[in-house]
């Protein structure tokens, strides 16, 4: 153990899907509490489980060392698979404008590092998407898109139609032995209070209205636990699968869908979705800029994985959908 590591006595091992990380700090409050509260910044809105494990040895996917020190500016360095951060992080945590962009937040460092290491060390790729399952037909619906694309509309309306929840936000897949294994993702979704109140009131517990300030209902998101609707399986092997690229607009009439017949276009769209969170630069605690975590080798492997996925016989041609919230499923669920 190096001298700088010995000065960080508080330690925690965590496992996320196939990845294991060692987290250490000189301040106990800078390590995540597991499983942690159900709240908007939680990693549980990204991943199915965040499990405490023994401190990992050589098999670790990475180590994150956080040293609280009264520096004017926070700093970091990388040595192999170890990341060393130094700075006034207790103070920065207390003053952060958005706790999602922290070491352990759902838009933060461990989230993005996990996505990269799942790819690099385990061949597991992660769509920014919600997943819904028709268990009677062994059919997976993958609704792919960024914030505001309409994933929540599909998610809640799909559950209302009897589909089961496979993931609210991140759906993982791995190509193995000529098949595709899909892994269950998050069961908690960050949903605008106005969406629940006005579009999906049947999902809204009455006591929540009494507790929440409704004045900013279209700006405020709440972490909503949908685990009661989850599918029975934690993974699916080569189910029939339809990928949907939605555009949902209030006030639009009807439902329109266009199959993406050109596999090159579908691959480009899927690659962009898989790449977004890994490649984008981001800012931690409002002051520490971190460049994207992608590499030429990872990007090339990711594109190959996309083409291999699209070549699977059970994968239907992806579709682009333009609709209003009420009609978002159109005739998709009909045989």
């Amino acid at each position: 153990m190096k001298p700088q590591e010995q000065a960080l006595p508080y330690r925690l091992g965590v496992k996320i899907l196939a990845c294991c990380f060692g987290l250490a700090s000189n301040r106990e409050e800078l390590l995540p509490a597991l499983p942690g509260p159900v709240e908007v910044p939680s990693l549980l809105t990204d991943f199915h489980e965040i499990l405490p494990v023994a401190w990992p040895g050589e098999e670790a996917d990475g180590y994150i060392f956080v040293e609280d020190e009264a520096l004017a500016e926070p700093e970091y360095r990388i040595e192999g698979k170890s990341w060393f951060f130094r700075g006034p992080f207790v103070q920065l945590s207390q003053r952060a404008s958005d706790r999602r962009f922290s070491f352990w937040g759902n838009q933060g460092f461990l989230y993005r590092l996990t996505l990269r290491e799942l790819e690099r060390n385990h061949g597991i790729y992660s769509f920014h998407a919600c997943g819904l399952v028709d268990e009677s037909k062994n059919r997976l619906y993958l609704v792919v898109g960024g914030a505001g694309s309409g994933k929540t509309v599909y998610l809640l309306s799909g559950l209302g139609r009897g589909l089961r929840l496979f993931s609210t936000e991140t759906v993982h897949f791995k190509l193995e032995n000529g098949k595709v294994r899909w892994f269950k993702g998050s069961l908690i979704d960050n949903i605008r209070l106005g969406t629940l109140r006005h579009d999906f009131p049947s999902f809204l517990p009455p006591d929540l209205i009494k507790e929440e300030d409704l004045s900013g209902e279209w700006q405020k998101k709440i972490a909503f636990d949908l685990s009661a609707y989850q599918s029975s399986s934690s993974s699916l092997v080569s189910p029939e699968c339809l990928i949907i690229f939605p555009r949902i607009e209030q006030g639009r009439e009807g439902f329109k869908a266009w199959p993406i017949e050109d596999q090159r276009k579908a691959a480009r769209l899927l690659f962009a979705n898989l790449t977004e969170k890994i490649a984008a630069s981001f800012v931690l605690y409002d002051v520490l800029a971190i460049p994207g975590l992608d590499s030429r080798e990872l990007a090339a492997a990711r594109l190959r994985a996309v083409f291999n996925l699209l070549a699977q016989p059970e994968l239907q041609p992806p579709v682009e959908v333009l609709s209003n919230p009420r009609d978002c499923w159109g005739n998709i669920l009909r045989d």
Side-chain angles (χ1 to χ4, degrees):
M1 187 182 299
K2 297 179 181 179
Q4 63 266 36
E5 298 175 16
Q6 293 177 342
L8 307 178
Y10 299 103
R11 294 174 171 260
L12 177 65
V14 298
K15 183 174 183 179
I16 305 173
L17 199 52
C19 280
C20 285
F21 297 97
L23 318 177
S25 180
N26 62 334
R27 298 288 295 269
E28 188 174 15
E29 62 265 42
L30 287 177
L31 292 181
L34 298 179
V38 174
E39 58 180 359
V40 169
S42 172
L43 277 173
L44 289 174
T45 65
D46 294 320
F47 301 113
H48 180 47
E49 294 178 315
I50 318 294
L51 300 175
V53 295
W55 181 264
E58 290 300 318
E59 77 282 4
D61 293 275
Y63 300 94
I64 303 172
F65 299 97
V66 180
E67 184 177 359
D68 187 71
E69 188 172 336
L71 302 179
E73 299 288 342
E75 60 187 30
Y76 76 95
R77 73 181 192 282
I78 309 165
E79 295 182 9
K81 56 185 176 182
S82 295
W83 294 71
F84 296 89
F85 294 89
R86 294 173 64 239
F89 289 111
V90 169
Q91 183 182 70
L92 290 173
S93 298
Q94 295 167 348
R95 298 184 346 203
S97 65
D98 191 337
R99 290 191 297 124
R100 296 178 302 163
F101 293 89
S102 60
F103 289 125
W104 327 122
N106 66 351
Q107 292 287 332
F109 184 72
L110 181 57
Y111 163 58
R112 296 167 195 261
L113 185 65
T114 299
L115 296 181
R116 187 186 74 173
E117 300 309 320
L118 283 172
E119 287 193 6
R120 184 161 70 170
N121 298 331
H122 305 282
I124 296 175
Y125 298 87
S126 305
F127 283 116
H128 187 187
C130 70
L132 293 153
V133 179
D134 185 334
E135 294 188 319
S136 66
K137 298 176 181 175
N138 192 33
R139 183 178 296 163
L140 173 65
Y141 297 97
L142 201 68
V143 185
V144 175
S149 62
K151 295 193 305 297
T152 296
V153 168
Y154 269 92
L155 176 65
L156 297 179
S157 59
L159 296 179
R161 287 167 166 83
L163 300 178
R164 305 302 294 179
L165 175 63
F166 197 63
S167 180
T168 63
E169 187 70 14
T170 311
V171 182
H172 317 275
F173 76 93
K174 182 176 185 177
L175 298 156
E176 53 185 18
N177 302 319
K179 296 184 180 296
V180 182
R181 181 178 293 276
W182 299 91
F183 299 93
K184 181 179 285 185
S186 50
L187 302 176
I188 298 168
D189 197 21
N190 290 330
I191 304 177
R192 295 188 190 282
L193 186 57
T195 298
L196 285 170
R197 283 194 68 214
H198 300 288
D199 295 327
F200 300 98
S202 62
F203 285 91
L204 187 61
D207 57 340
L208 187 61
I209 293 294
K210 299 175 184 177
E211 298 172 4
E212 295 288 343
D213 176 9
L214 303 180
S215 59
E217 61 180 16
W218 291 108
Q219 289 75 43
K220 183 174 185 178
K221 287 189 174 184
I222 59 172
F224 202 64
D225 187 349
L226 292 163
S227 58
Y229 298 91
Q230 67 180 294
S231 61
S232 57
S233 298
S234 59
S235 68
L236 299 169
V237 178
S238 292
E240 183 181 348
C241 180
L242 176 64
I243 298 175
I244 301 168
F245 294 94
R247 181 177 170 185
I248 303 300
E249 297 178 353
Q250 291 282 358
R252 172 169 289 278
E253 290 297 323
F255 166 91
K256 295 181 180 179
W258 298 271
I260 304 175
E261 302 290 355
D262 189 333
Q263 194 175 86
R264 297 168 300 177
K265 177 181 178 180
R268 176 171 52 80
L269 294 172
L270 292 174
F271 176 84
N273 181 274
L274 289 172
T275 301
E276 176 193 4
K277 298 299 183 182
I278 295 175
S281 298
F282 56 102
V283 177
L284 295 175
Y285 301 102
D286 303 309
V287 295
L288 184 58
I290 309 292
L293 305 180
D294 209 0
S295 71
R296 180 174 60 185
E297 294 77 16
L298 283 176
R302 190 180 309 126
L303 185 58
R304 289 194 298 271
V306 166
F307 276 113
N308 288 334
L309 175 65
L310 289 169
Q312 298 298 308
E314 69 277 0
L315 196 77
Q316 301 175 30
V319 297
E320 294 179 290
V321 168
L322 180 60
S323 176
N324 59 66
R326 183 186 66 253
D327 299 321
C328 66
W329 284 98
N331 59 0
I332 290 175
L333 298 180
R334 300 174 193 165
D335 286 325

